[in-house]
């Protein structure tokens, strides 16, 4: 279940930073668009991107979000990618995220997939 404060941030346009694990065990982090999908969290990526390759090998993730309306109350989520969406199901979510962030559907020039994160730990604010 998503914490209501986490959901509020996910429904806004804050940029998240996603941390994954590289094959050698080192961290890899990238900024990305993010959203709520039921009680899960979604983001889009290319199927062959570094983050996608990392997550298919090791599904553990950490997300850090500094809310646009209060960057001093960060949101931290840890979890696992529980599902990958492709095709029409993915594009529906991708277009929702794109419209939220840039006001228009996502261009179709490149193949994209959606990772669905099952949150395991959620923290709001500094603790």
């Amino acid at each position: 279940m998503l914490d209501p404060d986490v959901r509020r941030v996910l429904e806004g346009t804050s940029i998240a930073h996603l941390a994954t694990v590289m094959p050698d065990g080192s961290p890899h982090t990238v900024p990305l668009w993010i959203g709520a999908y039921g009680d899960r969290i979604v983001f889009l990526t290319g199927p062959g991107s570094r983050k996608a390759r990392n997550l298919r090998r090791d599904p553990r993730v950490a997300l850090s979000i500094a809310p646009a309306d209060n960057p001093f109350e960060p949101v931290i989520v840890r979890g696992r990618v529980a599902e990958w969406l492709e095709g029409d199901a993915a594009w529906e979510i991708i277009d929702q995220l794109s419209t939220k962030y840039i006001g228009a559907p996502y261009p179709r020039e490149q193949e994209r997939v959606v990772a669905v994160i099952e949150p395991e730990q959620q923290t709001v604010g500094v603790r």
Side-chain angles (χ1 to χ4, degrees), residues 32-33 43-47 51 90-114:
L32 46 73
W33 295 345
F43 69 88
L44 66 111
T45 189
K51 62 185 164 290
W91 281 107
E92 184 176 332
I93 293 167
I94 292 165
D95 283 341
Q96 288 172 1
L97 290 172
S98 183
T99 300
K100 177 174 79 165
Y101 281 94
I102 63 170
Y106 198 87
R108 298 300 198 264
E109 288 99 30
Q110 299 176 338
E111 185 180 359
R112 291 289 177 251
V113 294
V114 170

Side-chain angles (χ1 to χ4, degrees), residues 2-77:
L2 281 177
D3 176 294
D5 290 326
V6 173
R7 181 180 299 281
R8 179 187 57 76
V9 171
L10 293 172
E11 289 173 350
T13 56
S14 298
I15 300 295
H17 287 85
L18 173 80
T20 63
V21 181
M22 295 286 286
D24 67 1
S26 63
H28 177 261
T29 184
V30 293
L32 46 73
W33 295 345
I34 198 122
Y37 179 66
D39 279 326
R40 293 175 163 186
I41 299 167
V42 289
F43 69 88
L44 66 111
T45 189
S49 69
R50 169 49 52 199
K51 62 185 164 290
R53 293 191 322 265
N54 286 349
L55 290 167
R56 290 188 191 278
R57 190 190 73 263
D58 182 341
R60 295 176 297 165
V61 300
L63 293 167
S64 172
I65 311 166
D69 63 345
N70 186 0
F72 299 105
E73 189 171 67
V75 170
I76 308 296
V77 177

